[in-house]
Amino acid sequence: MVKHTATSVVTIERFIIEEERNHPEATGELSGILYDLALAAKMIANKVRSAGLADILGSAESENVQGEVQQQLDVLANEIIIKAMDHGGRLCAMASEEEPDIIQIPENFKCGKYCLLFDPLDGSSNIDVNVPVGTIFSVVRKITRGRHGEMEDILQPGRRQVAAGYVIYGSSTMMVYTTGQGAHGFTLDPSIGEFLLSHPNIRIPETGRYLSVNDSYEELWDDNVRTIMRKYKGLDGTSKALSTRYVGSLVADFHRNLLGGGIFAYPANRKTPRGKLRLLYEANPLAFIVEQAGGAASDGAQRVLDVLPTELHQRTPLFIGSKHEVELAKRVLGGAPELVGA
Ligand code: AHM
Ligand code: MG
């Protein structure tokens, strides 16, 4: 990898191209996908930034032809990504958290050898209260032979991802992605409209500082999950307490813990026995990133990246973040005798 420091000015485009040079066999298609995604992210960031103005602008511009300002932002983000990605000739299919079925590439466009899976605007219920939201994406290679992408192409285990990333629309807009050569973060400089390398080769601390979990489900958790949480909070007298931080917006919670160390947990509970988060659009891409940053991700029983998906919108319990904390969850849920019931 070309060495960059946070002080040299490196655009995401230059970085993507330099990474591609490490793969002499690369055709440039994956680089094109990443670059198009960065463009879509800038367009979404622009919409998110004016979210609070939608009603005001809507009434002021009653002739708004596209009707865009009135549209739900998650639906809009979904459309932005589809339109930015469907005609480049690099994708054979897409799947979105917002769409019930696989999204096919229109007949008049060329089909490529990759599939894109995405959650266009995660945490969008937070938009109204000005809390950060995010886009999450995953890229896998087509494995079937036909022109179009099929369910089999989309339902591949996360370890087969060739790229994954997220964009956080927060106090600044950042894109973090990996192609399996480390996880790298870029901050959008709004004055020039470019993502600039700001966090090269992110490493998550091995031991966490933060615990991100929605405690209000405590009554619905099983005993093992309660045991884990007591340990994270230092209530069992043997471990150091983590600080609880929960935004309720996955990308924001994940991003903080990636940089500062910690664990995000969304365990199964009696009402959501398979968890809430989606394997393909949320858990897999973030698991790829966290592993590249030296962390771990588990569904409680196995490594997230090894789970074989069977449905497009499959949900999964998720324990993701610093290695030490994820290991603890795995050991307790796996029934390690010295830990269970402690
Ligand atoms: P969404 O995909 O419908 O936006 O839901 C996912 C969001 C995540 O961002 C967040 O981590 C989680 O839901 C919060 O759920 P809860 O309110 O149950 O804690
Ligand atoms: Mg989501």
Side-chain angles (χ1 to χ4, degrees):
M1 188 180 103
V2 182
K3 279 244 176 289
H4 288 300
T5 63
T7 46
S8 53
V9 176
V10 180
T11 62
I12 198 165
E13 186 179 14
R14 175 175 156 198
F15 193 88
I16 290 169
I17 291 169
E18 284 177 0
E19 267 203 333
E20 189 191 303
R21 290 206 188 109
N22 296 335
H23 297 273
E25 74 291 355
T27 57
E29 285 170 74
L30 183 59
S31 298
I33 291 170
L34 292 169
Y35 195 65
D36 287 348
L37 281 166
L39 178 66
K42 286 189 246 180
M43 294 162 76
I44 297 170
N46 191 37
K47 300 289 176 198
V48 169
R49 214 177 315 118
S50 52
L53 296 169
D55 289 343
I56 305 167
L57 296 178
S59 54
E61 299 171 16
S62 49
E63 294 301 315
N64 177 356
V65 271
Q66 276 104 32
E68 278 188 351
V69 284
Q70 307 289 11
Q71 219 172 353
Q72 291 287 316
L73 265 179
D74 42 7
V75 178
L76 189 55
N78 189 48
E79 279 175 15
I80 288 174
I81 295 179
I82 294 173
K83 281 190 195 143
M85 307 303 301
D86 68 357
H87 59 278
R90 301 165 184 121
L91 297 177
C92 60
M94 291 184 258
S96 162
E97 200 191 279
E98 290 287 327
E99 304 271 346
D101 301 312
I102 294 185
I103 306 159
Q104 289 297 350
I105 301 301
E107 285 299 329
N108 48 329
F109 298 136
K110 201 177 141 239
C111 276
K113 62 179 182 207
Y114 292 103
C115 303
L116 174 71
L117 293 73
F118 59 95
D119 181 352
L121 207 62
D122 184 69
S124 52
S125 60
N126 286 317
I127 286 264
D128 290 349
V129 288
N130 224 336
V131 162
V133 288
T135 297
I136 313 175
F137 62 87
S138 157
V139 181
V140 292
R141 210 170 266 123
K142 183 178 194 306
I143 50 172
T144 58
R145 283 164 178 267
R147 175 176 179 267
H148 293 286
E150 293 171 30
M151 199 56 104
E152 204 184 324
D153 298 306
I154 301 282
L155 299 183
Q156 298 189 57
R159 62 171 181 272
R160 298 239 187 93
Q161 291 170 103
V162 293
Y166 64 87
V167 183
I168 177 165
Y169 310 100
S171 46
S172 57
T173 299
M174 258 191 88
M175 178 160 160
V176 175
Y177 83 86
T178 183
T179 56
Q181 304 177 68
H184 311 286
F186 302 80
T187 303
L188 182 62
D189 180 340
S191 63
I192 55 169
E194 290 278 6
F195 278 106
L196 303 178
L197 181 65
S198 53
H199 296 66
N201 207 14
I202 297 170
R203 304 302 296 166
I204 184 169
E206 284 218 353
T207 303
R209 262 162 73 191
Y210 302 117
L211 164 64
S212 306
V213 69
N214 188 340
D215 261 337
S216 63
Y217 299 119
E218 188 169 354
E219 286 301 307
L220 302 170
W221 289 334
D222 72 20
D223 288 346
N224 284 347
V225 172
R226 282 198 212 112
T227 301
I228 298 169
M229 297 306 158
R230 284 180 60 76
K231 286 181 176 296
Y232 288 153
K233 291 176 184 175
L235 297 175
D236 67 339
T238 64
S239 14
K240 193 168 147 268
L242 301 176
S243 281
T244 306
R245 297 278 191 285
Y246 192 68
V247 176
S249 199
L250 176 62
V251 170
D253 282 312
F254 176 81
H255 184 69
R256 181 197 47 248
N257 297 352
L258 183 70
L259 299 185
I263 181 152
F264 173 94
Y266 206 113
N269 68 48
R270 249 184 293 126
K271 282 204 178 135
T272 54
R274 297 187 69 182
K276 174 181 184 187
L277 300 170
R278 316 285 180 144
L279 176 62
L280 294 176
Y281 317 111
E282 295 168 328
N284 270 344
L286 298 186
F288 190 15
I289 290 173
V290 86
E291 285 199 3
Q292 286 292 313
S298 169
D299 68 357
Q302 60 177 328
R303 178 184 176 225
V304 166
L305 295 182
D306 285 337
V307 176
L308 185 65
T310 52
E311 298 162 37
L312 207 48
H313 295 286
Q314 185 166 332
R315 294 176 194 271
T316 179
L318 183 62
F319 298 85
I320 188 166
S322 293
K323 251 191 188 150
H324 181 263
E325 277 64 38
V326 175
E327 275 306 315
L328 179 71
K330 271 163 56 184
R331 276 170 31 232
V332 175
L333 291 173
E338 76 282 10
L339 294 171
V340 177

